[in-house]
Amino acid sequence: MTRTLRSVGVDLGDRSYDILIGPGARHGLAALLPVGARRAVIVTQAGIDVKVEPGIDHEVVEIGRGERSKSMETVGELGRAMARFGLSRSDVVIAVGGGLVTDVAGFAAASWHRGTPVVHVATTLLAQVDAAIGGKTGVNLPEGKNLMGAFWQPHAVICDTETLSTLPPEEWRSGFGEMAKYAFIGVDGLPGMPLEEQVAACAALKARVVSADEREGGLRMILNYGHTLAHALEAAGFAAEPGDVLDQVGAGPAAGPAAGHPLPRPQPVPLPLRHGEAVAVGLVFAARLARALGRIDDGRVREHDEVVSAYELPARLPRGAEPAQLIEFMLRDKKAHGELTFVLDGPRGVEPVAGVPSGLVTEVLAELKGP
Ligand code: GLY
């Protein structure tokens, strides 16, 4: 283990756990497994070339790639593999991958023998700063995304920043978009920090939020900053789903965060947007909507633009995205309850705001239409 590892705690009483962050953190896996676990099922995907050594008898099971694999069928296949391997409730499931893998393996672990420990080894930036932390697990149904799931807190989370070196550029952009939201919900100076510090700062904030509001009764909603528009873009087909992770092969980051660009610089990215890129557009939009509602001033809107620009993320609606269609999808969202609700910045910080007039939303969306 190297000396640069950091540990962040999620404080949930007897379900508390640590997040181990830094280069080579995966080598600390064996020490983080539950005491008494004798066997492990490692759940991963083809193309994720991250080997882990649990130090106990184990079997590797690969699940499919893409949102279609985030299904009850995959959970059933995992259950059958666990049965064949003889995994008991005192053993452990180890998820090695991005958000799709941690969601599916986490749900399978929550269901296996009514709850078996799971350790997440998050290998994408998005999973390291968001998906692997906090216990949200689940799968899609033909009727909708993430409709079946459970809160099942992991036994430990590993964010090995070395595993990011093989991420394709679009996965970096997706992670940066999810990261950018943290700059407005409590992490100052984010884009200027070294990457490991950024991951640690975001993971630490998420850990604090989850410790305070595990089941999203209130505070946890701030983690959805920028997501209302992002989900509408995803539902309308302009953005990929968060779990649609591509092959973890290829070059490292095309461009790291470059602090200090004065103005938003929309990037010509190919459609569909990655999840985090859609979140970036959602952040720029949420800032303008908050200003239109008199909640923040021009300076704060500029800060949003600067962070999104520093991460070289898109700041405009994709070509063809129409305000009326996006509003329709926002109203259909399972959390909408028939009115337009956004998580917005304001004098008390970021918070949910219900009953936003659709005319205003249309105007602000129209401002963000690309050339
Ligand atoms: N990704 C938002 C949450 O975990 O609550």
Side-chain angles (χ1 to χ4, degrees):
M1 230 189 279
T2 70
R3 61 193 158 75
T4 48
L5 297 186
R6 297 154 208 258
S7 182
V8 165
V10 179
D11 189 4
L12 290 167
D14 61 1
R15 290 171 299 113
S16 296
Y17 55 96
D18 288 328
I19 307 164
L20 190 65
I21 304 155
R26 68 190 182 284
H27 302 303
L29 174 65
L32 289 175
L33 298 184
V35 175
R38 290 185 300 109
R39 292 178 154 213
V41 165
I42 297 175
V43 181
T44 190
Q45 285 169 315
I48 297 176
D49 199 15
V50 176
K51 301 276 175 287
V52 293
E53 187 37 73
I56 53 177
D57 190 15
H58 60 276
E59 181 159 291
V60 178
V61 182
E62 283 183 359
I63 62 172
R65 302 203 332 261
E67 276 288 301
R68 243 179 309 163
S69 300
K70 192 173 168 180
S71 65
M72 290 300 283
E73 287 72 23
T74 304
V75 172
E77 283 162 19
L78 284 176
R80 296 188 66 190
M82 290 170 191
R84 285 192 300 270
F85 188 53
L87 199 77
S88 80
R89 194 163 61 168
S90 54
D91 291 326
V92 63
V93 176
I94 300 171
V96 180
L100 189 149
V101 175
T102 59
D103 273 16
V104 175
F107 188 41
S111 317
W112 181 247
H113 289 317
R114 302 189 179 89
T116 298
V118 62
V119 172
H120 295 315
V121 181
T123 64
T124 65
L125 186 58
L126 193 141
Q128 294 190 357
V129 300
D130 187 43
I133 305 165
K136 281 189 182 175
T137 73
V139 297
N140 304 326
L141 293 179
E143 287 74 13
K145 305 288 179 195
N146 293 323
L147 288 181
M148 303 288 292
F151 281 97
W152 186 244
Q153 296 297 339
H155 183 80
V157 178
I158 290 179
C159 302
D160 185 339
T161 46
E162 269 176 15
T163 67
L164 304 177
S165 63
T166 55
L167 278 190
E170 59 274 18
E171 276 305 317
W172 278 99
R173 291 198 301 271
S174 198
F176 284 144
E178 199 64 68
M179 227 175 200
K181 85 179 175 198
Y182 286 98
F184 304 100
I185 61 174
V187 183
D188 294 333
L190 190 60
M193 295 176 189
L195 183 71
E196 270 118 48
E197 270 177 43
Q198 295 192 46
V199 172
C202 294
L205 181 57
K206 177 138 191 191
R208 280 205 300 282
V209 170
V210 170
S211 301
D213 177 23
E214 182 183 8
R215 298 249 166 177
E216 204 169 302
L219 182 69
R220 189 164 177 166
M221 285 182 215
I222 69 171
L223 298 173
N224 292 329
Y225 192 38
H227 281 62
T228 311
L229 177 57
H231 288 154
L233 288 168
E234 281 161 5
F238 293 104
E241 295 294 329
D244 258 340
V245 177
L246 304 178
D247 277 356
Q248 197 166 340
V249 292
H261 294 305
L263 290 168
R265 256 188 338 171
Q267 298 296 303
V269 288
L271 287 176
L273 299 174
R274 308 304 300 171
H275 172 70
E277 293 175 309
V279 172
V281 180
L283 293 173
V284 169
F285 161 75
R288 281 159 177 74
L289 186 60
R291 178 176 60 187
L293 288 164
R295 295 173 57 86
I296 60 171
D297 61 16
D298 290 345
R300 187 67 171 158
V301 173
R302 221 167 18 249
E303 282 174 37
H304 283 72
D305 293 349
E306 283 168 5
V307 168
V308 166
S309 174
Y311 283 114
E312 308 201 342
L313 293 165
R316 292 283 177 275
L317 291 181
R319 199 180 318 227
E322 287 302 326
Q325 185 199 22
L326 295 173
I327 288 174
E328 210 182 297
F329 279 109
M330 287 177 195
L331 283 167
R332 266 193 233 165
D333 190 286
K334 62 179 182 292
K335 292 180 186 164
H337 307 301
E339 59 177 1
L340 288 170
T341 300
F342 296 89
V343 178
L344 294 177
D345 204 357
R348 289 177 301 274
V350 168
E351 62 186 355
V353 177
V356 179
S358 64
L360 195 63
V361 177
T362 305
E363 277 172 34
V364 176
L365 283 172
E367 268 181 59
L368 289 184
K369 282 181 88 162

